[in-house]
Amino acid sequence: MSDIPLRSYRPVTTEAPLFRTALIVVVLGILAVLLFAPLITVFYEALRKGALEALTSLANPEALSAIKLTLLVAALAVPLNAVFGIAAAWFITKYDFRGKAFLITLIDLPFSVSPVVAGLCIVLTFGANTAFGGWLVGMGYPIVFALPGIVLASLFVTFPFVARELIPVMIEQGRAEEEAALTLGASGWRVFLTVTLPNIRWALLYGVLLANARAMGEFGAVAVVSGKIRGVTATMPITIEMMYNEYLSVAAFSLAGVLALLALVTLALKTALEIAHADALAANHRH
Amino acid sequence: MRIEIDEISKQFGTTAALTPVSLAIPSGALVALLGPSGSGKTTLLRILGGLEFPTSGRVLFDGQDATGLTVQDRRAGFVFQSYALFRHMTVFDNIAYGLNARPRASRPPKAEVTRRVQKLLELIQLPDIGSRYPSQLSGGQRQRVALARALAIEPRMLLLDEPFGALDAKVRKELRQGLRDIHDETGLTTVFVTHDQEEAMELADLVVVMSMGRIEQIGKPADIRARPASQFVREFITA
């Protein structure tokens, strides 16, 4: 009778313990330096002279106007882009046509074009010294240096987020469920509401959250089109920059803290929704 | 319902999926569209169901021109190749979908919907799975639920695209008999697409052999076996 030597085998997909520990340390280190340290600094700088000072700086009309403007722009741009994104993803995934690849590239354009260039394009297209822009100003609806321009710029930079999230999900799901609903007598609108939308809701939510974060945080494009008019067209990121340049560090970091908090709240919301709907997610085998 | 296909052709871009084909299906028949992939059999089925429209030709239901009839108005019970069950709905809601999608005036009350869904679940011999999701069912169960969902709208005909394609041999045999029983019970004109000649010959009253967008032969299984009309049919049915 031969003794089989006792050896501990580790799963083939796992690395050696030392290597594993090193990897984890490197990842945590990068996260700490790039993510946590700056985030903590923002709140530290904001609260350096006490919470009261920070809150007072936020009550300043300039800061309040910036917060209101940013929320308003996000509230306008995000729903519009959710609708555009669904329409674009629907068009791309449910129909076959020539130039489809070109259209997908176009949707990605805002990722590759610098936001400043995008802002300049809006100024050059809708500015007061162009025929169309001049006419709009004459009618009392200026676009550049006003809310419409900021919304347009935000729409441009957030355009890809929803469509990008939806296209792969909708391609994978195909058209069969929609066709089945049609043969069962449902109208096109009913099919969209009862079949398409429930199937894409998680991807849609994710895309909307990303678009929202970007819309609230956009600097470059908005800086060009808004004209940075204090208390009127200065959004939160722009107000933060102006305050920082004027050595109003508590005010700048307090406002930055609010912006960071808004982002953290969206993330928390998403996680909460995912936990609450864990069953539905499991049934869907997705995300 | 009697179905007539009158000189139907279908072009996709520059490729012809169907060169003009004609076919008369008597009321209550169980018909197989048999052919290799690319023969145009699924295209023909989808044209009957209103999911594609022909480039030329006419479709007649009981002698009435139905060529331009919308997919909703055809009332064709359609079973898809991968069943296309609504993944976010329970089996019950899947089967009830067609009843709930009716215009308010003709929509049956809730209790009636429940009663009908339960009856259909019994017909497919799965009375207790109403509260499950499609992902929790086996392939054979999914196929039967898809059949029940199609029957729920009280269809005028039953159209099935490779209904047994994704199943193993044993389940396939059982479900063949299941389809035969349901056909005999409901008396619905039934058309199914298959590439499996044995399945077509065993199940159908009438077999339509197709190849490259053309109908090669129409006949009873025994007649096709005894007198194949072309070299293609001879080779295909002995394969």
Side-chain angles (χ1 to χ4, degrees):
Chain A
M1 195 176 108
S2 68
D3 275 318
I4 299 164
L6 277 172
R7 277 182 58 186
S8 64
Y9 290 97
R10 60 185 161 79
V12 287
T13 51
T14 318
E15 315 299 340
L18 192 68
F19 187 60
R20 224 185 317 164
T21 317
L23 263 183
I24 291 169
V25 168
V26 167
V27 169
L28 286 180
I30 292 172
L31 275 180
V33 171
L34 291 182
L35 218 62
F36 297 127
L39 202 56
I40 290 164
T41 313
V42 167
F43 290 105
Y44 173 78
E45 288 289 335
L47 298 170
R48 205 160 54 146
K49 289 180 185 161
L52 191 67
E53 179 85 19
L55 286 175
T56 322
S57 79
L58 285 179
N60 159 347
E62 228 175 83
L64 279 181
S65 142
I67 295 173
K68 265 190 231 156
L69 180 61
T70 293
L71 292 179
L72 177 64
V73 168
L76 288 171
V78 172
L80 278 175
N81 256 347
V83 173
F84 292 158
I86 292 172
W90 177 280
F91 186 57
I92 283 172
T93 55
K94 309 279 172 185
Y95 298 98
D96 290 315
F97 55 93
R98 227 176 271 241
K100 199 183 219 179
F102 179 66
L103 189 64
I104 295 175
T105 315
L106 263 188
I107 287 177
D108 276 348
L109 193 69
F111 278 157
S112 47
V113 169
S114 160
V116 176
V117 175
L120 273 176
C121 291
I122 290 172
V123 171
L124 291 176
T125 314
F126 300 105
N129 45 3
T130 64
F132 183 56
W135 178 74
L136 278 172
V137 171
M139 298 294 286
Y141 299 107
I143 290 193
V144 174
F145 305 148
L147 181 67
I150 302 174
V151 174
L152 271 181
S154 305
L155 279 177
F156 180 85
V157 295
T158 57
F159 188 74
F161 288 101
V162 173
R164 283 251 96 179
E165 285 296 323
L166 292 184
I167 288 168
V169 174
M170 286 170 82
I171 285 177
E172 196 226 271
Q173 290 178 347
R175 308 172 208 190
E177 283 183 49
E178 274 95 358
E179 285 181 345
L182 289 172
T183 65
L184 295 170
S187 64
W189 182 239
R190 190 183 177 88
V191 172
F192 176 75
L193 287 182
T194 59
V195 177
T196 311
L197 207 53
N199 275 344
I200 60 170
R201 62 190 157 184
W202 290 103
L204 179 64
L205 176 72
Y206 202 62
V208 162
L209 289 176
L210 286 175
N212 183 53
R214 182 67 200 268
M216 292 197 297
E218 174 54 25
F219 182 83
V222 173
V224 178
V225 297
S226 70
K228 299 187 184 181
I229 308 167
R230 278 169 200 277
V232 183
T233 65
T235 60
M236 283 172 80
I238 287 166
T239 309
I240 292 167
E241 194 232 6
M242 293 196 295
M243 286 172 164
Y244 185 73
N245 286 344
E246 288 153 19
Y247 304 104
L248 299 168
S249 117
V250 169
F253 280 106
S254 300
L255 204 52
V258 174
L259 198 52
L261 270 182
L262 284 174
L264 291 175
V265 165
T266 22
L267 270 186
L269 263 179
K270 173 182 171 270
T271 314
L273 276 171
E274 276 176 359
I275 292 168
H277 296 276
D279 293 348
L281 282 175
N284 269 330
H285 288 306
R286 287 216 52 90
H287 290 280
Chain B
M1 194 182 65
R2 197 170 81 245
I3 303 172
E4 281 154 275
I5 293 159
D6 180 22
E7 294 287 306
I8 288 264
S9 76
K10 176 72 184 176
Q11 293 274 135
F12 288 111
T14 54
T15 51
L18 288 172
T19 56
V21 294
S22 294
L23 173 66
I25 298 172
S27 186
L30 179 51
V31 177
L33 300 180
L34 172 67
S37 49
S39 58
K41 56 194 193 304
T42 296
T43 305
L44 189 55
L45 192 79
R46 288 170 63 86
I47 287 173
L48 286 179
L51 292 167
E52 308 275 3
F53 288 94
T55 312
S56 67
R58 293 187 309 159
V59 179
L60 299 123
F61 294 159
D62 278 339
Q64 299 247 319
D65 192 338
T67 316
L69 213 58
T70 63
V71 53
Q72 290 95 344
D73 289 337
R74 298 222 176 183
R75 292 223 341 264
F78 207 110
V79 176
F80 289 79
Q81 190 167 8
S82 50
Y83 317 132
L85 296 175
F86 307 126
R87 68 191 85 190
H88 63 284
M89 289 182 204
T90 60
V91 167
F92 183 96
D93 289 336
N94 263 281
I95 297 174
Y97 189 89
L99 295 173
N100 291 327
R102 284 187 186 170
R104 210 171 288 275
S106 57
R107 195 182 304 164
K110 228 178 183 159
E112 174 66 10
V113 172
T114 310
R115 197 187 63 79
R116 286 206 212 170
V117 172
Q118 200 51 47
K119 218 177 128 202
L120 285 162
L121 283 170
E122 275 153 29
L123 180 73
I124 58 167
Q125 293 163 20
L126 295 168
D128 304 318
I129 61 158
S131 60
R132 290 206 224 153
Y133 283 92
S135 60
Q136 297 165 318
L137 305 179
S138 72
Q141 289 173 327
R142 279 179 213 178
Q143 196 258 16
R144 285 190 273 173
V145 171
L147 195 56
R149 183 177 69 175
L151 288 168
I153 61 168
E154 298 171 311
R156 298 196 287 175
M157 65 196 133
L158 206 49
L159 307 173
L160 305 97
D161 188 2
E162 298 274 3
F164 313 107
L167 304 167
D168 62 63
K170 184 173 168 294
V171 179
R172 213 178 252 245
K173 283 244 157 73
E174 282 170 26
L175 290 185
R176 259 187 228 172
Q177 191 52 46
L179 179 61
R180 181 83 234 181
D181 292 346
I182 284 170
H183 170 262
D184 294 349
E185 201 166 315
T186 58
L188 284 168
T189 310
T190 303
V191 183
F192 72 98
V193 156
T194 181
H195 61 265
D196 181 341
Q197 59 90 15
E198 191 203 322
E199 192 167 284
M201 297 292 185
E202 196 177 297
L203 192 53
D205 308 325
L206 194 65
V207 174
V208 179
V209 187
M210 296 183 69
S211 163
M212 306 188 55
R214 274 190 302 277
I215 292 179
E216 295 278 335
Q217 189 171 4
I218 305 168
K220 295 199 171 94
D223 293 344
I224 289 181
R225 273 216 189 85
R227 286 176 293 277
S230 67
Q231 184 64 23
F232 171 82
V233 177
R234 194 191 323 276
E235 280 170 14
F236 194 73
I237 60 169
T238 52

